Amino acid sequence: MSETTGSGTTGSGTAASGTAAPTPAAPVPAHRDGNVLRWVAAYTASMLGDSVFFLALSWAAVRQGSPAEAGIVTAVSAVPRALLMLGGGVVVDRLGPRRVVIGSDAVRCVAVLSVAALLFATDPGLWLLALLALVFGAVDALFLPAVGALPARITAKDQLARVQGMRGLAVRLSSVVGAPLGGLGVALGGAAAAFALAGVLIAVSVPLLVSVRMRELPPDDAPATANGGTAWRDLCGGLRYLRGHRVLGPLMLVIALGDLGFVGPLNIGLTLLADERGWGAAGMGWVLAGFGVGAGTAALLLTVRGRVPHAGYVVAGALVPGAAAIGVLAQAPALPVAVGTALLIGLLAGLSGALCGALLQTQSAPALLGRVTAVAGIVSLGIAPLSMPVSAAAIGVWGTGPVFAVSAVVCGLGGVVALCAPGVRRAELPK
C-alpha cells in the first residue's frame, strides 16, 4: 500500500518540474501482499488458539462438575460478549482496530496462560473456569469488532472480498486443525497443557500484529474523538448511520434472517437428525465435513478471484437455494445424500456470508466500521444462537422435517429481503 502512495507523490513532483510522470505501480493483490499475509497469519494463530481454548474449557468443566454445570461454564462467555459488543465497537473506532486487536490478544494470552499455570499447580474448581470464560467473553466484545474493522485499514477496497475469502480459509483451517491440537494437548498433559497450548498460539499472533502496517484514514473520515464527541454520541451516531444507510441497514436484516435460519439446523438440529437417522457421531462428522469442504471452497473462490460482480444479486442467489438445501437435508434418504447436501449448503452459505462481510466493509465509512461490525456481531453471535434451544425444543415436539423446513423459510427470507431492497440488490464490490 505504501508503494502506491509513494508513487503518487513522486509523480506529482516530477510533473511539476516538467518531466513525464512515471506510471504508478499497480496495487499488490491481497493474497500476495506481505502486510495482509502477516495479518492473516496472526488471525489464523489467534483462531487456532480459540479452538484449542474452547475444547480445553469444555473438557476441564466436564471433569470439574456435572454436565449442566459444564454447559453453564462454556456458555457464560456469551453474556459479556453480547452486552458489551456495541461499546466495544465505539472503543475500536476511537482507538483504532490495530491497537485494540493487539491489546485483546495480549489480555487473552495472559489470562489463558495464568489459568494453565494454576491448573498445573492446584485444583481451583469451576469458579476459575467460569471467571476465565467471562474474561474471554468481555475481551471478545473488543476483539471481534476490531477484527472486522482491521482489513479495511490494511488493504484497498477492491481487495476486501479477497481478504474475506482468506479470512474464511483461516476459520476453516482453525476448525479442522484446532480440535485435534486441543485433543493432543489434553492427552499429553490434561486441560492445563491444552490451555498452555492455546495461550502459546494466541501469543504467536501478537508480534505478527505489531508488524502489520496501517493505512491512514482520509482527513474527512477521521475518528469521532477528533471532534470531541462522547462515547454515547458515537454509539448513537453509529446506530443512526446504520439505520439511514440504503445498503447497510437492510443488509443487517439479511444477515439476521440468514443466521437465524442457519445456526439452529446446522448445530443442535444436525446432532438430533444424525441420532434420529442412526448415522451416529461418525455420520454427523461426515456431514459436518461436507459443510466444511463447501464453505472452504467458497472461501478459496473469493481468495483467487478477488471480486464477484453483481454482489447483491449473488447474495440473494446463494441464500435462496441454500435455504432450500437446508429443508432438503432433513429429508435425505441416506448419509451420502446428506453429505452432498451439506457440501452445497456450505458452498452457498460460505459465499453469501463472505460477500455480506465484504459489502459491510466496502460500504461502511472506515471511521464507523468498528460500530458497524459490532452490530453485525451481535446479530450473528448474540441473536442467532438463540435459535439453537428453540430448534431443539421444536424438534422434540414436531420432529426434524418441519423444523428444518421452517428454518429454510426463515433463511430464504433473507434472500427475499436482499432482492427487495434496492440498495442491497444493486450493491457492487469495488473494481
Side-chain angles (χ1 to χ4, degrees), residues 172-200:
R172 291 298 114 207
L173 177 66
S174 66
S175 64
V176 170
V177 177
L181 273 179
L184 179 62
V186 169
L188 293 177
F195 278 127
L197 176 59
V200 169

Side-chain angles (χ1 to χ4, degrees), residues 246-247 310-314 316 417-428:
R246 61 191 300 271
V247 177
H310 310 297
Y313 279 106
V314 174
V417 170
L419 286 173
C420 293
V424 178
R425 183 177 69 245
R426 298 168 185 163
E428 290 277 10

Side-chain angles (χ1 to χ4, degrees), residues 62-101:
V62 167
R63 296 298 297 269
Q64 293 279 350
S66 67
E69 289 171 332
I72 293 173
V73 167
T74 54
V76 74
S77 63
V79 177
R81 185 190 300 129
L83 292 177
L84 301 176
M85 195 175 294
L86 276 179
V90 173
V91 173
V92 169
D93 287 336
R94 285 181 155 246
L95 299 182
R98 178 176 176 270
R99 187 183 303 176
V100 175
V101 168

Side-chain angles (χ1 to χ4, degrees), residues 158-172:
D158 63 347
Q159 295 297 312
L160 286 174
R162 179 170 276 133
V163 173
Q164 284 297 111
M166 297 165 72
R167 185 177 172 186
L169 288 174
V171 171
R172 291 298 114 207

Side-chain angles (χ1 to χ4, degrees), residues 26-421:
V28 180
H31 63 299
R32 298 176 185 171
D33 187 337
N35 195 48
V36 175
L37 292 176
R38 285 193 296 274
W39 176 77
V40 173
Y43 180 70
T44 303
S46 186
M47 291 297 98
L48 279 170
D50 272 10
S51 297
V52 174
F53 164 78
F54 283 110
L55 186 143
L57 182 68
S58 61
W59 177 265
V62 167
R63 296 298 297 269
Q64 293 279 350
S66 67
E69 289 171 332
I72 293 173
V73 167
T74 54
V76 74
S77 63
V79 177
R81 185 190 300 129
L83 292 177
L84 301 176
M85 195 175 294
L86 276 179
V90 173
V91 173
V92 169
D93 287 336
R94 285 181 155 246
L95 299 182
R98 178 176 176 270
R99 187 183 303 176
V100 175
V101 168
I102 292 171
S104 300
D105 264 354
V107 170
R108 298 192 318 159
C109 174
V110 170
V112 175
L113 289 178
S114 299
V115 169
L118 285 172
L119 288 175
F120 272 122
T122 184
D123 186 14
L126 278 174
W127 69 268
L128 179 66
L129 300 177
L131 178 62
L132 177 61
L134 283 170
V135 170
F136 233 73
V139 176
D140 270 354
L142 293 167
F143 176 79
L144 294 172
V147 165
L150 203 142
R153 301 287 295 275
I154 62 174
T155 191
K157 277 193 173 186
D158 63 347
Q159 295 297 312
L160 286 174
R162 179 170 276 133
V163 173
Q164 284 297 111
M166 297 165 72
R167 185 177 172 186
L169 288 174
V171 171
R172 291 298 114 207
L173 177 66
S174 66
S175 64
V176 170
V177 177
L181 273 179
L184 179 62
V186 169
L188 293 177
F195 278 127
L197 176 59
V200 169
L201 287 167
I202 295 172
V204 169
S205 71
V206 176
L208 288 168
L209 288 168
V210 170
S211 70
V212 172
R213 302 186 309 274
M214 298 288 288
R215 295 160 58 93
E216 292 296 327
L217 287 176
D220 60 347
D221 199 18
T225 49
N227 302 321
T230 65
W232 177 252
R233 286 179 180 175
D234 287 354
L235 176 59
C236 294
L239 294 175
R240 284 195 301 271
Y241 172 77
L242 264 178
R243 186 179 59 201
H245 200 287
R246 61 191 300 271
V247 177
L248 297 178
L251 188 62
M252 288 295 176
L253 181 57
V254 173
I255 293 171
L257 289 169
D259 284 349
L260 280 171
F262 178 82
V263 170
L266 267 296
N267 285 276
I268 187 66
L270 181 58
T271 303
L272 297 174
L273 178 64
D275 181 65
E276 179 184 290
R277 297 299 177 87
W279 296 338
M284 185 178 72
W286 278 108
V287 175
L288 287 173
F291 168 76
V293 169
T297 302
L300 183 61
L301 172 67
L302 280 178
T303 300
V304 173
R305 285 189 57 87
R307 182 180 183 271
V308 175
H310 310 297
Y313 279 106
V314 174
V315 167
L319 272 174
V320 173
I326 291 175
V328 170
L329 182 60
Q331 308 300 328
L335 180 58
V337 178
V339 173
T341 305
L343 190 150
L344 178 62
I345 295 172
L347 177 64
L348 296 172
L351 182 60
S352 62
L355 286 177
C356 283
L359 287 173
L360 282 179
Q361 294 189 356
T362 55
Q363 295 288 330
S364 300
L368 291 156
L369 195 46
R371 281 161 280 181
V372 171
T373 306
V375 174
I378 288 176
V379 168
S380 297
L381 300 173
I383 298 176
L386 297 177
S387 65
M388 287 192 283
V390 174
S391 295
I395 288 173
V397 176
W398 293 293
T400 54
V403 173
F404 272 59
V406 171
S407 295
V409 170
V410 173
C411 189
L413 283 175
V416 173
V417 170
L419 286 173
C420 293

